[in-house]
Amino acid sequence: MFLNYLKNFFLKYTLKNKWQEVSSLAGTNAIRTVGLVIDETKFLDKESLIQELISNGFAANNISILVYRDTINKKETYSRHTFNSAVLNWDGAITDRVVNEFIETEFDLLVSYYEIEKAILLLITYNSKAKFKVGFSSIDKRLHHLTITTRIENYTIFVHELFKYLKILNKIES
């Protein structure tokens, strides 16, 4: 337990020292593919969030989802790929193949749906090849192009604000 705390502390420290501001918005490409990173430790209503994104215009087959949990029950079967900080080694490298593929995928939009800074989630967002990143304002501003101020339980407000600003930025059709 203490060793995991140390590992996460040093990874956060290292990440925050090498962060740069996210690159500026290069173009006005329409959003087709979406990556969604959810912290299920604090937010259990992930299927409703996904349905809200689909009902606002994203195609279900164009949404890739990664789910983080603090603890994983080996006997339980999960509907989405679920991981915890055990996939992170001492060098700050991720050892899970699916998580690495998610990071390497060039999504048009990455939604970081977590409001508490956890080292593994910050690392995934930072290393993601996504063209446009959106997250909560409680997370370091250097990670995202757009931050939304709301609570994690208010997924309808989050999605409403997300689509409002995506329309303003000409990232989706009105």
Side-chain angles (χ1 to χ4, degrees):
M1 183 74 171
F2 180 71
L3 292 176
N4 280 336
Y5 174 79
L6 275 177
K7 179 173 68 171
N8 286 327
F9 174 79
F10 285 119
L11 180 60
K12 275 188 193 179
Y13 178 79
T14 305
L15 278 171
K16 287 187 178 195
N17 284 335
K18 70 179 185 178
W19 278 346
Q20 306 277 325
E21 291 289 329
V22 289
S23 61
S24 62
L25 302 175
T28 56
N29 299 342
I31 293 175
R32 291 181 182 79
T33 57
V34 178
L36 180 60
V37 180
I38 301 173
D39 182 0
E40 197 176 45
T41 307
K42 298 290 180 189
F43 180 71
L44 298 174
D45 210 6
K46 70 178 180 290
E47 294 303 324
S48 297
L49 170 65
I50 296 163
Q51 283 306 109
E52 191 74 22
L53 290 170
I54 292 169
S55 68
N56 277 285
F58 291 141
N61 57 345
N62 288 341
I63 301 175
S64 298
I65 300 146
L66 256 167
V67 179
Y68 171 84
R69 295 184 109 191
D70 284 338
T71 57
I72 294 180
N73 185 352
K74 302 265 188 214
K75 296 177 183 175
E76 191 174 343
T77 320
Y78 299 104
S79 61
R80 311 280 182 186
H81 183 72
T82 305
F83 68 99
N84 63 2
S85 43
V87 303
L88 189 64
N89 67 17
W90 281 95
D91 296 338
I94 296 172
T95 57
D96 188 293
R97 180 187 54 80
V98 175
V99 175
N100 281 323
E101 287 174 4
F102 184 89
I103 291 170
E104 292 300 318
T105 304
E106 288 191 27
F107 296 111
D108 296 322
L109 172 68
L110 176 70
V111 178
S112 302
Y113 205 80
Y114 55 89
E115 65 180 357
I116 296 174
E117 292 184 352
K118 295 182 181 174
I120 184 77
L121 298 173
L122 296 172
L123 185 65
I124 290 170
T125 301
Y126 178 72
N127 288 333
S128 174
K129 305 288 189 251
K131 297 172 186 166
F132 190 73
K133 299 176 184 179
V134 177
F136 285 91
S137 61
S138 59
I139 303 300
D140 196 308
K141 311 293 186 260
R142 296 174 289 180
L143 277 179
H144 302 106
H145 295 99
L146 174 67
T147 59
I148 297 173
T149 305
T150 186
R151 301 282 306 149
I152 197 165
E153 308 86 36
N154 301 331
Y155 65 89
T156 53
I157 294 171
F158 182 90
V159 172
H160 173 73
E161 292 296 310
L162 171 64
F163 278 86
K164 179 172 87 173
Y165 286 107
L166 290 177
K167 286 176 187 173
I168 291 170
L169 294 170
N170 291 325
K171 294 283 188 186
I172 57 174
E173 295 179 12
S174 298

